C-alpha cells in the first residue's frame, strides 16, 4: 500500500536532493548470525539473510529484518544505511515508520473509548464541529469507527501536489483536512472502503479534543513510556532525527531523510522508531496488554480489502495478513525514503519486521515478489 506520499514528491524536492553515491555490495554490508542447523540445514537467520540480500540486489540500499520465534529474537541486515559513507544497515538505527503510526493512533482512540471519554459511534461533528462540511462531505454522518476503519468516504489529501510543493513547510492539521474536502466524498459513509490518511489526521485531532493534550503527550503517557519504547518519538514539525538514523532515498531525488516536515503526516504517519520498538509495541498490543477485550474485538473486526495490490483484512488501524503458517497482524507504512512491513501472530510468539530505505519500488513487480518471499520466510520460515 502506498502509505504516505511516496508517489507525490515534487520537483522542489529534487532540487534539494543529494546525489547518491555507489552502494557497496550486499555481502559486504550483511550483518547476521547465519549459523546452520545441525545436520546441514539452513537456520532461519541464513534463510532470511538470503532474502534480505536479494532485496538489496533488486535495488534497495539497505534492509533490516527483525524476527521472533518465542523467546528468540534475531536481526538480519543487508546493504547500507547511508550511501554517502557506506555505513552498513544497522538494526539499532532510527527510521520513519510511516503509516505504522496509524496503529498507535487507533490504540489511543480505543483506550479513550474504553475509558468512556468518547464513543466510536460519536460523529466527527461531535468533536470537530463544522470542520468536515464542504462539497458534500458531512462530518455529522461520519463516525469515529468509520475513520479508523477507512470507511468514511473522505478523499486522501496526500496525492495533492500542494502537499509536497514545499517539502519543509509546516502544515496544520486543519489545512490538510481542507485539501481533502475540496473534493466530494467517494461514497456515503460506511458503504465502502478506501485508504485515506485524512481519516487518521481527524482521529488525531479528536484525541486532542477528548484529552486536552497534544497527541504526542498521549502517545508518550499511554504507549511509549509504559512499554519502554526509548527509541520511539512523535515529531510534528522537526524533519530531523533525535539520534543515529537510516538515511532514506527516493529514486532520483536522492537522500530525502531530513527534507520533509512530518507535519504533513502527523497521526497518519509521523512516528520515528526502531525495529525492536515497533515489534515490542505490536506484541504488547496484539496479546492484549494495551486494550480491554471489547476494544480488541473492535480493532480485530475486519473486512477484506485490496489496496494497491496488497490483499489483507483491514480492521481499526490494524490489518490481518494470511501466511502459510497462519495470520500475521500489523500495518505497513511508507514515508518518502522509507518503507516498513510488520507482522505479529495473535499469541505474540511469531514476529517479523521488515524495513528498507528506498521509496521507488511501490509498483516494481520483481521487487514486490521478492518482498513477499522475504515476508513469508521471516514470519513462517
Amino acid at each position: 500500500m502506498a502509505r504516505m506520499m511516496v508517489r507525490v514528491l515534487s520537483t522542489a524536492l529534487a532540487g534539494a536532493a543529494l546525489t547518491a553515491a555507489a552502494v557497496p555490495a550486499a555481502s559486504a554490508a550483511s550483518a547476521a548470525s547465519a549459523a546452520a542447523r545441525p545436520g546441514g540445514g539452513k537456520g532461519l537467520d541464513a534463510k532470511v539473510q538470503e532474502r534480505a540480500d536479494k532485496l538489496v540486489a533488486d535495488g534497495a540500499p539497505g534492509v533490516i529484518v527483525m524476527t521472533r520465534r518465542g523467546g528468540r529474537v534475531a536481526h538480519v541486515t543487508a546493504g547500507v544505511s547511508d550511501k554517502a559513507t557506506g555505513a552498513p544497515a544497522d538494526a539499532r538505527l532510527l527510521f520513519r515508520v510511516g503509516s505504522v503510526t496509524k496503529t498507535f493512533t487507533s490504540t489511543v482512540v480505543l483506550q479513550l473509548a474504553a475509558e468512556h471519554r468518547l464513543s466510536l459511534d460519536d460523529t466527527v461533528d461531535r468533536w470537530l464541529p463544522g470542520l468536515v462540511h464542504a462539497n458534500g462531505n458531512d462530518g455529522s454522518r461520519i463516525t469515529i469507527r468509520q475513520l479508523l476503519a477507512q470507511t468514511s468516504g473522505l478523499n486522501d489529501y496526500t496525492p495533492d501536489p500542494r502537499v509536497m510543493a514545499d517539502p519543509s513547510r509546516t502544515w496544520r492539521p486543519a489545512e490538510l483536512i481542507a485539501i481533502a474536502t475540496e473534493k466530494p466524498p467517494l461514497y456515503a459513509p460506511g458503504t465502502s472502503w478506501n485508504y485515506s490518511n485524512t481519516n487518521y489526521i481527524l482521529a488525531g485531532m479528536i484525541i486532542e479534543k477528548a484529552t486536552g493534550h497534544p497527541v504526542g503527550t498521549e502517545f508518550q503517557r499511554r504507549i511509549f513510556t509504559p512499554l519502554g519504547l526509548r527509541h520511539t518519538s512523535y515529531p510534528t514539525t522537526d524533519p530531523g532525527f533525535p539520534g543515529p538514523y537510516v538515511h532514506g532515498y527516493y529514486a532520483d531525488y536522492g537522500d530525502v531523510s531530513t527534507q520533509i516536515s512530518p507535519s504533513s503526516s502527523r497521526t497518519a504517519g509521523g512516528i520515528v522508531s526502531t525495529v525492536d520498538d515497533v515489534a515490542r509495541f505490536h506484541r504488547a498490543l496484539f496479546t492484549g496488554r494495551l486494550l480491554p477485550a471489547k476494544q480488541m474485538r473492535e480493532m480485530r473486526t475486519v473486512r477484506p480489502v485490496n489496496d494497491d495490490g496488497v490483499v489483507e483484512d483491514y480492521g481499526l488501524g490494524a490489518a490481518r495478513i494470511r501466511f502459510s503458517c497462519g495470520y500475521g497482524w500489523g500495518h505497513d507504512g511508507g514515508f518518502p525514503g522509507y518503507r516498513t512491513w510488520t507482522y505479529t501472530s495473535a499469541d505474540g510468539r511469531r514476529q517479523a519486521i521488515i524495513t528498507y530505505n528506498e521509496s521507488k519500488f511501490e509498483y516494481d513487480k520483481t521487487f514486490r515478489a521478492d518482498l513477499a518471499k522475504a515476508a513469508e520466510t521471516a514470519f513462517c520460515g
Side-chain angles (χ1 to χ4, degrees):
M1 300 183 182
R3 295 306 200 191
M4 275 304 301
M5 296 178 288
V6 295
R7 292 176 284 185
V8 291
L9 286 178
S10 71
T11 53
L13 181 55
L18 302 177
T19 301
V23 183
S27 58
S30 297
S33 61
R37 289 197 189 99
K42 287 183 178 178
L44 174 64
D45 294 350
K47 295 176 183 178
V48 174
Q49 186 70 62
E50 288 182 357
R51 297 301 189 191
D53 288 342
K54 184 63 170 69
L55 294 177
V56 171
D58 287 344
V63 176
I64 301 169
V65 186
M66 173 269 182
T67 61
R68 173 184 291 278
R69 295 294 185 273
R72 182 184 186 275
V73 172
H75 304 89
V76 163
T77 64
V80 298
S81 63
D82 185 347
K83 289 183 179 183
T85 66
D90 187 327
R92 297 169 294 182
L93 296 177
L94 301 169
F95 60 92
R96 302 191 189 280
V97 307
S99 286
V100 176
T101 302
K102 289 180 173 66
T103 311
F104 288 81
T105 301
S106 179
T107 298
V108 173
V109 172
L110 288 165
Q111 287 179 341
L112 292 171
E115 296 162 9
H116 304 291
R117 300 175 70 174
L118 57 76
S119 167
L120 296 184
D121 295 319
D122 287 347
T123 65
V124 171
D125 261 16
R126 160 73 174 78
W127 293 98
L128 306 170
L131 182 63
V132 180
H133 270 287
N135 302 305
N137 298 283
D138 186 352
S140 70
R141 300 179 59 204
I142 299 170
T143 67
I144 295 175
R145 180 183 283 103
Q146 290 164 347
L147 295 179
L148 301 183
Q150 304 279 21
T151 60
S152 70
L154 293 171
N155 285 272
D156 189 4
Y157 66 86
T158 60
D160 191 288
R162 288 169 291 181
V163 177
M164 283 292 115
D166 177 4
S168 63
R169 170 179 169 168
T170 295
W171 287 90
R172 292 183 293 108
E175 293 175 317
L176 301 175
I177 302 306
I179 288 175
T181 56
E182 287 177 357
K183 297 180 179 179
L186 297 173
Y187 48 83
T191 63
S192 189
W193 188 92
N194 70 294
Y195 192 88
S196 176
N197 293 286
T198 307
N199 292 322
Y200 276 77
I201 298 296
L202 288 167
M205 297 173 77
I206 290 170
I207 289 171
E208 294 190 338
K209 279 294 188 76
T211 64
H213 301 139
V215 171
T217 299
E218 294 299 316
F219 279 157
Q220 191 71 50
R221 181 174 73 86
R222 294 169 175 273
I223 300 175
F224 300 170
T225 297
L227 296 183
L229 307 185
R230 296 184 298 109
H231 306 293
T232 302
S233 59
Y234 175 67
T236 55
T237 59
D238 185 356
F241 288 82
Y245 62 93
V246 175
H247 288 247
Y249 302 90
Y250 190 2
D252 293 339
Y253 298 117
D255 187 341
V256 297
S257 310
T258 58
Q259 297 180 32
I260 301 165
S261 170
S263 66
S264 58
S265 58
R266 296 186 181 262
T267 44
I271 284 178
V272 167
S273 192
T274 63
V275 289
D276 285 338
D277 272 13
V278 168
R280 183 178 298 180
F281 163 62
H282 282 174
R283 194 168 188 234
L285 173 61
F286 295 120
T287 58
R289 289 177 53 193
L290 294 177
L291 293 174
K294 178 181 178 181
Q295 280 67 42
M296 281 304 301
R297 286 194 298 272
E298 294 276 12
M299 177 174 273
R300 285 175 159 157
T301 299
V302 298
R303 64 184 295 157
V305 303
N306 186 326
D307 186 19
D308 281 348
V310 176
V311 177
E312 62 187 15
D313 301 319
Y314 202 86
L316 301 188
R320 185 179 69 178
I321 303 93
R322 183 188 294 274
F323 287 96
S324 66
C325 58
Y327 286 109
W329 286 88
H331 207 292
D332 63 298
F335 190 98
Y338 302 90
R339 201 70 167 91
T340 302
W341 306 80
T342 70
Y343 312 104
T344 297
S345 62
D347 62 6
R349 294 185 57 77
R350 188 181 293 268
Q351 287 189 292
I353 311 294
I354 303 173
T355 187
Y356 50 91
N357 53 343
E358 172 59 75
S359 292
K360 68 182 180 181
F361 296 113
E362 285 302 306
Y363 302 104
D364 185 305
K365 292 182 178 179
T366 297
F367 187 89
R368 291 298 289 265
D370 288 337
L371 176 65
K373 294 175 183 176
E376 169 70 23
T377 299
F379 192 68
C380 293

